[in-house]
Amino acid sequence: QVQLVESGGGSVQAGGSLRLSCVASGRTISSFAMGWFRQVPGQEHECVAAISWSGGSTYYAVSVKGRFTISRDNAENTVFLQMTNLKTEDTAVYYCAADRAWNSLGLRSPHYWGQGTQVTVSS
């Protein structure tokens, strides 16, 4: 079992930045591809960023490419999502997820999920 706990969400004005962190426990994340999803009420989860086991490959949704950066520190069992130039449409609950399989088009079937952290961007 892997437990994932996100932090770093909050409220920010458009154009601002936030850094989300996801700390894992129970098992090392080095054997998992990791990703960040977001969900708006009434909509499906969207994979916005993902990173392969060693960090050598990444995926970004078109909507966040160039503004978000995913990174990982396997020694600290932590994954990060640096979000810059935030837009009102980035408002959502952001979830950290772990998947045993890497997919260059984003994580497809994560095995583990965090509880989520709210990000609110105001104009």
Side-chain angles (χ1 to χ4, degrees), residues 39-87:
Q39 187 174 32
V40 175
Q43 298 184 17
E44 296 287 326
H45 280 101
E46 174 193 16
C47 182
V48 296
I51 188 166
S52 61
W53 306 278
S54 65
S57 298
T58 56
Y59 161 84
Y60 295 98
V62 172
S63 57
V64 307
K65 192 172 291 186
R67 300 187 297 120
F68 290 12
T69 303
I70 188 171
S71 60
R72 64 190 296 161
D73 184 339
N74 287 344
E76 296 294 328
N77 243 21
T78 304
V79 181
F80 304 97
L81 185 67
Q82 179 68 48
M83 306 185 292
T84 62
N85 191 21
L86 282 160
K87 304 177 180 181

Side-chain angles (χ1 to χ4, degrees), residues 1-4 24-32 77 100 112:
Q1 286 286 341
V2 177
Q3 293 78 42
L4 303 172
S25 61
R27 289 183 61 181
T28 175
I29 63 169
S30 59
S31 58
F32 292 91
N77 243 21
R100 294 189 180 94
Y112 302 103

